[in-house]
Amino acid sequence: MHGPDAGWYIVLAGMRFAVGAIGVLVRRSPLIILLSVEIMLNGANLALIAFARHYGHEDGQIFTIAVMARAASKDVSGLGRKVEKGRGHGERDADK
């Protein structure tokens, strides 16, 4: 196996997940919240790929592709709903 050990990828995945979680908890803008959720999913995908690489199985990579497809469709539909809901209103608060 060439390159960094899988442990480094797990640390990076945890940091990405933590940054996304902080973004979800701190921000109120729907767009920023959706982007933060996407960062969290990217961290989880990186962890899946790291574990797949560590154990020598392709299952984690296949599952990652499915998670990415699901995340893309969820983000598009969620963002579309928020934009449509807030189109006539000047307010952009996720709590309302």
Side-chain angles (χ1 to χ4, degrees):
M1 179 181 345
H2 300 296
D5 190 31
W8 290 104
Y9 291 113
I10 299 300
V11 169
L12 180 62
M15 290 180 357
R16 287 186 65 91
F17 193 87
V19 167
I22 290 170
V24 167
L25 295 174
V26 172
R27 299 295 184 159
R28 292 194 179 265
S29 170
L31 180 62
I32 300 299
I33 290 173
L34 287 173
L35 290 174
S36 297
V37 168
E38 188 68 29
I39 291 173
M40 290 171 63
L41 285 172
N42 284 336
N45 286 338
L46 183 59
L48 285 171
I49 291 175
F51 282 123
R53 179 179 175 186
H54 179 71
Y55 292 114
H57 299 295
E58 294 84 21
D59 298 344
Q61 295 176 3
I62 294 169
F63 190 67
T64 296
I65 292 171
V67 169
M68 287 171 42
R70 161 82 169 73
S73 64
K74 176 190 65 73
D75 286 345
V76 168
S77 65
L79 183 59
R81 286 186 199 134
K82 276 296 189 185
V83 167
E84 185 62 33
K85 181 179 177 186
R87 183 168 291 198
H89 313 295
E91 203 158 332
R92 300 275 187 240
D93 192 1
D95 294 335
K96 296 182 180 179

